[in-house]
Amino acid sequence: MAKITVNGTVVDAPEGATLLDAARLAGAEVPTLCYLKEAGALTSCMICVVRDAATGRLLPSCATAATDGMSVETDCAEVRAARREVLLMLLNEHAGDCGAPCSRICPAGLNIPRMLRETQQERRADAARRARNDLIFPAVLGRVCTAPCERVCHRGQYDGPVGIRATHCALAEEFLRMAAPERPAPSGKSVAVVGAGLAGLSAACVCARLGHACRVYEKADRACPGLRALPAEKLPPEIIDAEVAAVAALGVEILTGNTVGADLTLDALLREHDAVIVACALEHEKHPKFFDAVEEQLHVRAVGSGKRAARRADAFLCGLPAPPEAVFHSVLGKLAPADTEPFAVERKRPPAGDAADAARREAERCLHCDCLKQVSCKLRLYAEEHGLAPQIRRSLPRPVVEPAERFGNVVFEPGKCVKCGVCVELTRIAGVPAGMTFTGRGMDSRVRAALGALLEAGLGDAAAACVRACPTAALAFADAEETP
Amino acid sequence: MNPEFSMEEVDQIIAECGAGGDALLPILHALQRRFRYLPEEALRRVAETAGISAAAVHSTATFYPHFRLRPAGRHIISVCDGTACHLKGSLAVNDAIAEELGLGPDEDTDSGGLFTLQKVRCLGCCTLAPAVQIGRVTYGHVRPGGVAAMLDDYLAHAEQHEQGLPGGGAEAPEDGPEIRVGLGSCCVAGGSEEVRRALEETRARYRINVRIKQVGCIGVCHLTPLMEVVLPGGASHTYAKVRPEDVPSLVLAHFPPPRPVEKARARVFSWLERLYTDREDRPLERHAGAPGASVVEDYVGVQRRIATEHSGESDPTDLAEYIRHGGFSALRRCLAPLGGPAPGAGDGPPLDAPAIIDEIMRAGLRGRGGAGFPTARKWLEVRNAPGGEKYVICNGDEGDPGAFMDRMILESYTHRVLEGMLIASVAAGARRGIFYIRAEYPLAVARVRAAIDRCAAAGLLGDRVLGSSHAFHAEVREGAGAFVCGEETALIASLEGVRPVPRIRPPFPAHRGFHGMPTLVNNVETLAMVPWIIRNGAGAFAALGTEGSKGTKVFSLAGKIRRGGLIEVPMGMTVRRIVEEVGGGVADGRAFKAVQVGGPSGGCIPAAMGDLPVDYEALAGAGSMMGSGGFVVMDDADCMVEMTRYFLSFTQLESCGKCVPCRVGTRQLLEILERLCAGRGTPEDLAELERLAHAVKKQSLCGLGRTAPNPVLTGLAHFREEFEAHARGKCPAKKCKALLSYTITEDCIGCTKCAQRCPSGAIAHAPHGVHVVEMEKCVRCNACFEVCPVNAVRVD
């Protein structure tokens, strides 16, 4: 038994315990990437460092024996700075996207790869529901959006981008009058939205989905007056009407011909509602209950702005801190000509089935750039926790893209490997004949199946255990669908 | 183009080397010697039949730069890119050889499969920089213009070169006249082997009765090959930079031919000899003229020899001579029955293990491998550690570019190191010893192997060492060119045949080492100090040096120095005295700028800190470290940013890649330094450089990563203005090509020489007018500056 002081709290660490064990006994969170109990301490990631109070040294807690009388800090400024440094280093050698570039750039945050996969799998209603859920106006945007998603599509550098806008347009029109989703239990809070443009209605829609009573005030006599100014052959009014009706079907009350500032004052709205979302060009003083959404010129941005304002208002109503403006993303960036082939050729799937179906054919062209472990990836999780900028500034050129390898349901993406050695240890312990191994050294070291064996032989019986233990998406199940 | 592959031979090699992890490195060495690379089917066979996992075989074979996975040409050309060679233009030599062989950008082997070109980190022949090794032959002072001649020379003598290394000593009367020739690697590279042959020919031709004796390193490597004539009565004459063709006249001057016939023949012969051998463009730089013994005396005067005792006078392959010089008397004392009489005349009383450890403790001996851990404490730890089998490992994996003392000590004082290891084994209770020596040091490997055989035959090794109950067996294992294997836990992993990456300590090897057993890992030089201490007493050793650093330290003195070589000085001598009194000051009349101590993991010490005493504490205090003892001098033409970039390029390449801070952090540091040297730096880069350097130093797992940022941090501390200048796009030393701009002043006389020499057409022909350099086209080759007869070309 050793008495260890962890952040000022004394714990009794059992015989043979490490500092990591002691920290966990004390309830301190210590991040680990390469540590796995059954594999033993590998001390490769060095993210689990804690500060030894006596010497000021940073010690890898997973491999340092807890000796009686030690005092460590697990979350002081120096330790956090050290971990940030390690994370930045790992992200510098990371070649992979967290979210697919199309989704990441979409201001409304449509989960495009997932929508395309559903389309491809003949789950068109699910795909349409996703488009409606994320875009709120998928049919409208299907006709007026400038489609920034297609500009960043990695396939664009290979043989032209996937027709994303056309896909959600076709899906939305096919399911234009689908039933509204079930309403959640009322929260008892009410929200006023000023302005029934795309931003205002999007904000109202999100609030309603979260159970808040929602009333929209619009000075024009119909919702979406801006959109109605567009030529009808470009955007038929019945499409606008159908998607506005879908918002109203959630219980959103849209009061047209009501000019806030003239017919009724903001003060009156404040008295009547728990939060006010201002989605028009209305001057107002700062107030904790006011949330701004901007009716941007770019329609999809207006939707995004409304959705974000609604989430801020919701957090306020629930007494939670404001949600982050942007989440962390590792970004592969534009593919160099040399990267395009290894990236695209391996990922593209041969078209299957009914070639007459245009939407499905297009969906099949998706390269599925989104990470299979968007939620469970520890690298991303720690990057968020340690306050890294949503997109790091690289200090090294991004590593070249190496083709993925797959067998059965398992995918190995070398560019996402942090060289922690967990799979090497697990295959060794399991006695897999070929086994996974390190090759080369330094920055050129890689993990792969030994002596030219295939991935299947390298992982052997330990495959599932390795996928589960892999701290990133270097090893993942191909059918994983993690919802960010 | 490669020897034909045969699985039977693979099986035979496996059968000879044995099975299990311990055999992996020897098997890989043997396979590569046989096939000149490691064929994948051979590796698979090893994994199938030698009881070693496929993962271990693969990760080991791909880890070491020494092993090739692609077929190689008949002869391997290794261009040294160690610190000293780098300073003296090894890259230009490399490029010249590539051009001579007609190699494309990604090729390393010529189309005929004759030569394979590779860069190696250090051949340990720093005083002969730039050095090139072909097969087992080392060429020194290679110039880009001389590479064709070098290749011709090698091919002409290839068979003779590869026949074998000089091994056994000459049997001749012990008294009487003798001629000594240095046969350390530097000397051999400098041509001493040819000198020895010429001596033997001369002796035979004129029937002169003189003993020719090969001696170990004298340490005066800048004057190789050296030849010393010792006359009856002890008078001696030393000749430096001797050429084979000079040998007959030098010998005949001291030993006149006995009969008139031979006299006449001698006159005619020496005239003919000159006529035929005086050819131009020799690949080896050799100077006639002998500066004489006084130069050697100056050089050696302020030194104090303990590890290198009897330097230049003893034959490293002559066991009897070593014993005559008091060799193995220390071991005898350590094995004699306690309480009994002194084992030999002049020996002290017998010592048991605790007494040996106490003696070493009182001597204050600290590890010479770098960290300076008290040697006696390590011995005691191993002695007290529970465990059946204990091991002693001699760490001879000297990988620092710019250091060669371990090689020299192993080559020249082989028996002394072996005696040190034997004494350590008695103290620590070990029964097996392993010499881990770089494969790049073939002579050291051969000499130690021969010495082990010799000592075994003489009863100095075996089940009953010197008739005592102490059993000790030693063997040699070759490394494979990985710097990180100098770290003791990586070294042990390397011996065990697993991927040689360091692990966290504790547990220290003293408790859990080779095969989990208590293992003593000592550096070559440390062991070489031990016999002297036992013979002369702890007091004599402790009388030398400073408060915390006792005794002497061996350094490889190299770089921009007049007299480079292997030196041994008392601890605490100042940097300035080493540079000026031992090294004779900076060469070519330039100014002493800084010295890099401790290799790439050390730091630079500026000339302004020349009064710094060289000992463990003072060096650490200055942000440098003793390291293994590289001492590379830089002058005012050297750019500190470029040197820092070079050191980081070394550590970055040698990082094993296990822990993130070292693997990625060293690359990030290098990237910034490359930007600065290429003129793409920004002032923010300096802040990032400093932040990252501290992070890598503090967060890396082992000593390699923890010391790799030292050049950056000391560079920023002492030469910050140079870094700042680079961030502004200027290189004050005018070394970083990308930052130079060339202009031609009004002094131009319009001779057009610069325009004619310009390789990129950046200077238009303007006869009688003032020429102009177009910087967009300029490749900064400096040709215009060199050719201008009126110094009208300005470089900024």
Side-chain angles (χ1 to χ4, degrees), chain A residues 56 78 85 93 395 437 440 451, chain B residues 55 58 62 663 668 691 698:
Chain A
E78 193 183 345
E85 210 68 72
E93 55 166 16
S395 57
T437 191
L451 291 177
Chain B
H58 191 169
T62 57
R663 178 177 77 224
Q668 287 175 308
R691 194 200 81 228
K698 185 128 197 192

Side-chain angles (χ1 to χ4, degrees), chain B residues 573-613:
Chain B
M573 187 179 270
T574 65
V575 169
R576 196 186 319 282
R577 280 192 70 197
I578 293 177
V579 172
E580 286 171 5
E581 291 180 32
V582 184
V586 171
D588 302 332
R590 304 208 68 112
F592 167 39
K593 180 173 183 176
V595 52
Q596 176 78 17
V597 186
S601 328
C604 62
I605 292 170
M609 289 172 72
D611 293 324
L612 190 81

Side-chain angles (χ1 to χ4, degrees), chain B residues 33 70 214 221 246 264 354 381 395 456 471 474 488 543 548 558 564 571 596 611 677 679 778 793:
Chain B
R33 266 194 286 272
R70 285 193 294 169
Q214 51 177 347
C221 312
D246 302 330
E381 292 278 338
N395 184 349
E488 56 184 10
M571 289 273 190
Q596 176 78 17
D611 293 324
C677 290
C778 175
V793 178

Side-chain angles (χ1 to χ4, degrees), chain A residues 219 257-266 282:
Chain A
K219 65 181 172 193
N258 252 299
T259 309
V260 175
D263 299 331
L264 73 170
T265 62
L266 276 174
L282 180 68

Side-chain angles (χ1 to χ4, degrees), chain B residues 422-507:
Chain B
L422 272 157
I423 294 170
S425 77
V426 175
R431 294 191 303 176
R432 246 189 91 188
I434 301 170
F435 285 88
Y436 187 91
I437 304 174
R438 297 181 74 197
E440 290 88 336
Y441 290 173
L443 185 58
V445 170
R447 289 244 167 104
V448 176
R449 285 210 169 113
I452 288 173
D453 291 345
R454 229 176 277 124
C455 288
L460 289 157
L461 287 170
D463 292 333
R464 298 177 58 80
V465 176
L466 284 175
S468 73
S469 60
H470 184 63
F472 191 70
H473 297 267
E475 60 178 303
V476 177
R477 299 283 289 275
E478 285 176 75
F483 180 63
V484 76
C485 288
E487 199 279 345
E488 56 184 10
T489 60
L491 189 157
I492 289 168
S494 171
L495 287 174
E496 291 172 347
V498 296
R499 187 175 168 79
V501 294
R503 62 161 172 79
I504 192 165
R505 299 177 302 180

Side-chain angles (χ1 to χ4, degrees), chain B residues 725-779:
Chain B
H726 281 73
R728 290 191 308 268
K730 288 277 169 242
C731 175
K734 297 181 182 174
K735 196 92 182 176
C736 296
K737 276 189 172 187
L739 304 184
L740 299 184
S741 72
Y742 286 81
T743 43
I744 299 177
T745 65
E746 289 297 319
D747 295 341
C748 176
I749 53 171
C751 71
T752 75
K753 276 189 178 152
C754 56
Q756 289 170 38
R757 281 284 301 277
C758 180
S760 61
I763 306 177
H765 255 263
H768 312 299
V770 174
H771 284 70
V772 179
V773 186
E774 270 183 78
M775 282 315 292
E776 297 81 61
K777 290 188 187 166
C778 175
V779 292

Side-chain angles (χ1 to χ4, degrees), chain A residues 48-61:
Chain A
C48 70
V49 288
V50 295
R51 187 175 178 277
D52 179 20
T55 62
R57 289 185 59 171
L58 297 177
L59 305 170
S61 61

